[in-house]
Structure formats: structure tokens, C-alpha cells
Amino acid sequence: MKTMMFCVIAGAILVVLGCGDEPPSRPRPPEIPETEFITTSDNYLNNRFFKLDLASPNSLPVHDVPGRDASRQRIDRGSIRVYRLVTGGEQKPDDVANIAAYLDTTGVFWVGPDCPPNDFRSPVVYGARWRELAWQPLVNADDEIQGLDVGSELGAGDALAVVYDFYPGDGDFSCRVGDRPPYDPPLGELPGEEAAYYRMKLLKAPEGAADYSFHYVIRNFYELGHPDIDANSFRFVIEEDSPLHPSADANGLPYLRIFGLDQIDLDGIPGHDGLVDIEDYWMIDLNRGLVHFPLDRPFAANRSQYEAFADSSGFTWDGSYLQGHQAHELYDPQVPSATYPEYGHFRLRATYTLN
């Protein structure tokens, strides 16, 4: 039996451990678990982020004609209202009745110079009940709006209509895109319909209904699995979806660099340090758990774009895995989104702890 002696010194009781006893220790805090999240290149956040128009120039195959001059005519953020077609559920007090949504290839909703005529009798989508959606703006470094985030992915069959104004440049016309309920009267007269309809711009059509509006969807955002990610623990790589999952090409150039996510070092100086550029908040948003590629169509770009980001004489295109696994189908309005998993040729792997 172990012996234990008690001594009283200045009114305090000291416990003297017998031979072989261990000193007491403070309880250790539990270690913060590390999360690994893997997604594939086909799994961009579809039908969540939207451009409002297709002002020229851009890298897409279509653009508005005559189009808004984005260098002078700025969208008024406070004027934007987005409505979603409701096909079921209970009527809510704020639901808007009778909206007709039109494909706007002009960018100025047929009110500007050189616009083609439109009699508003042929909307792409119309319906009796619409509900306003909450959204967050996507802005550039100059706080100019670049698009919208509606907060979650919408379904392939959903339809959205939008209204907004933009500020004119010097000497330019002012423009209101669409009718604004309840301030504007509904003026659209549709064949076979007794009620008048609010005329709005089509932002999202049901899949396959309007190829032009397909290009309003911003298709280079991916989720990281969780919001509120700890920056000090965050690691991110892009890998081939092949048996060994290499994170660099055959010449050792990291895909992270080739896809434009490693363009500055830890001090913000242009260069490559092998780490994802978390200093660029537009690119890596750890608060919301998002990665935003600098290429509009990151997995079907062209050789010169990849080569510029690689910034190395060692970059090889001909015969490379990258060349052989371009996924143009992910950005083609003729390809059903249900088939996208067939074209996920890369993996995006993130490891981190949460704040």
C-alpha cells in the first residue's frame, strides 16, 4: 500500500505523494479536428451566381447588342429586384401577381438607341405568382456591381425575372430595365390572357428554354464545404481525377498555379509560392467558404490563358492531361446539367479547421 503523509505549514495542508504517484496535471483542451473536403470540377455552384447583362467585351460566346457601356453606365445597386416564379405552396402577402419575363439580348431592354423592336407579346416565361428573392452583390475592387449571389443553388426548372436601373454616363440616356411593382403599372398584354403583366428581364429560364440566358450564370464558383474557415490551417490543391491524383502536371507545375490560384506570395508580391492566394478575398472567401476562379470557364479555357498563369517555360500543352481533359460540356447550353458528372476531370481538395 502506498503511504501518504500530511504536513501542516502555515495553516495550509500539503499533500506529499508516496513513491510512484504522478503529479496532477491540467486537463488538455481537445484538439480541433481537421476537415478534408473534396469536390470535382463539374460541381460548380450552378444557378446561384448571376450576371445582370452581357456587356461587351467579355470572354463569353455571346454579348448584348447594342449593350450597356459598362465603363460609363453603372448599374444602380439599390434598384435591383429579383423575382422567382412560384408554382406551388401558399400565397404570401408580398407575392407579386402576373410577371412576364423576356429574353433581353440588347442589355438595355429595348429602350436604347439602335435596339431592335419588341412588342412584348412573346415572353419566354410568364406566370401568375412570383416571389422576391434576397440576394447579395458581387462587387469588384471599385465597388461596382458585377453580379448577384442569391444564396443557394436554384433548380434546373426554376425561372427568375429581374428589374434594375443604371446610371447613365455623360450624355447617355438613362435606363430602367423592366417594370417595377407596385410603382409601375403592369402593361404587358399577352395573347389569350385577360390580365395585364409586369414586363421584366429574364435572368434565369428553365433549363433548355433560352440558350442566351444560360450565359448569365457565373460558372466559376465552388464551395469549400463549410463557412468560417481558419486561414492559418487552410490548404487547397487541384488534382487530376486519375488513380494517383497528382496535383501537378507531367513537368511538375502545380495545377493550382496553372488555373490562376497561385499568382502572389505571402507578402502580396506577384510570384508563385505553391500556396493558394488566400490574400485575394475575391478569389478565396473563407468566411463564406467559397473559391472563385479567375477564369470564366476554368476547365475549358484556352492554351494561352493557362500558359500565362503557369508563367514558366516548362509549361506543356500538346499531349498533356489538361489538353486531353477539357470540359467544354460544362459551359454548353445544349448539354443537360444532369450529365455534368461525366466531365469532372479534376478534383478540388481543401483541408482546414473551423474558427
Side-chain angles (χ1 to χ4, degrees):
M1 177 182 293
K2 295 179 181 178
T3 60
M4 186 172 293
M5 298 180 293
F6 296 88
C7 300
V8 178
I9 302 177
I13 299 178
L14 302 182
V15 179
V16 182
L17 299 175
C19 180
D21 283 320
E22 294 294 331
S25 60
R26 297 179 183 272
R28 295 181 179 179
E31 293 186 2
I32 300 175
E34 185 176 78
T35 296
E36 181 179 71
F37 178 80
I38 298 174
T39 189
T40 47
S41 51
D42 60 286
N43 199 27
Y44 57 76
L45 288 166
N46 197 6
N47 298 320
R48 172 175 167 178
F49 302 91
F50 296 88
K51 297 180 180 180
L52 288 172
D53 58 14
L54 301 178
S56 184
N58 59 56
S59 61
L60 299 175
V62 296
H63 63 82
D64 298 332
V65 180
R68 173 179 63 91
D69 184 346
S71 67
R72 296 185 299 168
Q73 298 165 324
R74 309 295 173 85
I75 292 173
D76 176 5
R77 187 184 312 181
S79 70
I80 301 168
R81 299 289 185 273
V82 181
Y83 299 90
R84 181 181 185 177
L85 179 62
V86 179
T87 56
E90 296 182 1
Q91 177 87 19
K92 292 191 175 183
D94 294 332
D95 286 353
V96 176
N98 299 337
I99 292 176
Y102 300 83
L103 191 63
D104 174 26
T105 60
T106 72
V108 290
F109 210 62
W110 302 287
V111 297
D114 304 320
C115 283
N118 191 288
D119 62 8
F120 292 101
R121 289 183 294 182
S122 302
V124 176
V125 179
Y126 66 96
R129 187 155 59 97
W130 298 69
R131 186 166 298 158
E132 187 169 0
L133 280 186
W135 54 273
Q136 293 182 328
L138 301 175
V139 298
N140 62 16
D142 296 322
D143 200 40
E144 297 166 351
I145 191 159
Q146 304 296 293
L148 309 178
D149 175 6
V150 298
S152 61
E153 292 183 273
L154 302 180
D158 281 324
L160 296 180
V162 64
V163 296
Y164 57 90
D165 303 340
F166 57 77
Y167 300 116
D170 293 339
D172 290 313
F173 65 96
S174 60
C175 181
R176 166 160 290 183
V177 174
D179 301 327
R180 182 180 303 279
Y183 309 107
D184 297 332
L187 297 175
E189 296 182 1
L190 306 183
E193 298 290 330
E194 294 183 2
Y197 280 73
Y198 291 106
R199 303 165 303 176
M200 295 189 185
K201 176 171 179 168
L202 180 72
L203 186 64
K204 180 193 179 304
E207 189 171 293
D211 288 357
Y212 193 89
S213 65
F214 174 91
H215 299 289
Y216 292 139
V217 180
I218 301 172
R219 302 175 185 273
N220 58 2
F221 278 91
Y222 291 78
E223 65 177 345
L224 295 170
H226 290 278
D228 202 23
I229 293 171
D230 172 57
N232 293 322
S233 65
F234 181 67
R235 299 291 182 271
F236 183 82
V237 294
I238 300 172
E239 305 168 333
E240 296 176 10
D241 192 19
S242 58
L244 297 179
H245 303 305
S247 60
D249 70 4
N251 292 324
L253 284 174
Y255 286 116
L256 193 70
R257 177 168 160 179
I258 293 171
F259 284 103
L261 298 180
D262 176 19
Q263 298 301 305
I264 56 176
D265 63 20
L266 292 175
D267 296 320
I269 299 173
H272 315 287
D273 56 10
L275 301 174
V276 66
D277 293 336
I278 62 172
E279 298 82 9
D280 187 336
Y281 183 79
W282 176 249
M283 184 183 295
I284 305 294
D285 186 343
L286 298 182
N287 292 328
R288 294 199 290 166
L290 299 173
V291 55
H292 181 201
F293 280 77
L295 293 169
D296 286 339
R297 294 177 287 176
F299 296 97
N302 57 58
R303 172 179 180 164
S304 62
Q305 291 174 306
Y306 295 129
E307 194 167 23
F309 281 135
D311 188 29
S312 170
S313 59
F315 176 79
T316 299
W317 175 254
D318 294 335
S320 67
Y321 180 91
L322 180 60
Q323 184 201 34
H325 292 84
Q326 292 289 281
H328 297 283
E329 296 86 353
L330 298 178
Y331 316 103
D332 186 340
Q334 298 296 317
V335 177
S337 59
T339 67
Y340 286 178
E342 300 174 22
Y343 311 109
H345 304 309
F346 288 87
R347 306 195 321 167
L348 284 60
R349 182 165 60 88
T351 55
Y352 49 80
T353 59
L354 300 178
N355 286 322

